[in-house]
């Protein structure tokens, strides 16, 4: 099994500010994948666990909030692991926009 895709997204919002922005942009999280959408989500403390459905695949994902960054972790199924580098690059590029 391959390592999950992980990305740290810096911010200056504090945990509550980041949480507010993420909740408001939850639909945009699924758009990180072509044709993707968030099908399930729930908070456990400062961690958002959610599932993205994309290209017939389910991606278990987590966002852990810190005062100065959001740590994203995506457990890609075997088919989508082929695109792990592209997905990581897109998260690094587009992730900060979710917090604006």
């Amino acid at each position: 099994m391959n390592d999950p895709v992980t990305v740290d997204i810096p911010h200056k919002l504090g945990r509550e500010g980041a949480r507010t922005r993420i909740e408001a942009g939850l639909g945009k999280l699924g758009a990180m994948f072509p044709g993707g959408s968030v099908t399930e989500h729930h908070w456990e403390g400062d961690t958002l666990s959610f599932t993205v459905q994309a290209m017939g695949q389910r991606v278990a994902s987590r966002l852990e909030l810190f005062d100065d960054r959001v740590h994203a972790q995506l457990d890609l199924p075997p088919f989508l692991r082929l695109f792990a580098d592209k997905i990581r690059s897109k998260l690094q590029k587009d992730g900060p926009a979710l917090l604006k």
Side-chain angles (χ1 to χ4, degrees):
M1 182 173 182
N2 291 354
D3 292 331
V5 170
T6 60
V7 174
D8 283 319
I9 304 166
H11 66 80
K12 296 179 181 178
L13 302 169
R15 290 178 197 217
E16 285 304 312
R19 183 179 183 129
T20 300
R21 300 281 172 85
I22 289 169
E23 287 176 349
L26 193 58
K28 295 177 186 175
L29 290 172
M32 293 285 180
F33 296 87
S37 64
V38 174
T39 58
E40 305 169 7
H41 69 280
H42 68 278
W43 286 96
E44 293 179 28
D46 289 329
T47 301
L48 173 64
S49 297
F50 61 100
T51 302
V52 175
Q53 185 81 28
M55 298 171 40
Q57 305 288 309
R58 293 174 51 90
V59 181
S61 309
R62 283 164 303 291
L63 297 179
E64 187 173 357
L65 305 182
F66 295 92
D67 292 332
D68 61 347
R69 72 188 187 287
V70 174
H71 179 76
Q73 181 174 325
L74 292 82
D75 298 324
L76 300 177
F79 173 72
L80 291 178
R81 285 186 195 138
L82 299 170
F83 306 101
D85 289 337
K86 289 184 180 185
I87 292 168
R88 184 178 294 108
S89 293
K90 183 160 180 70
L91 276 171
Q92 289 170 330
K93 180 183 173 217
D94 296 344
L98 294 173
L99 298 171
K100 290 186 180 183

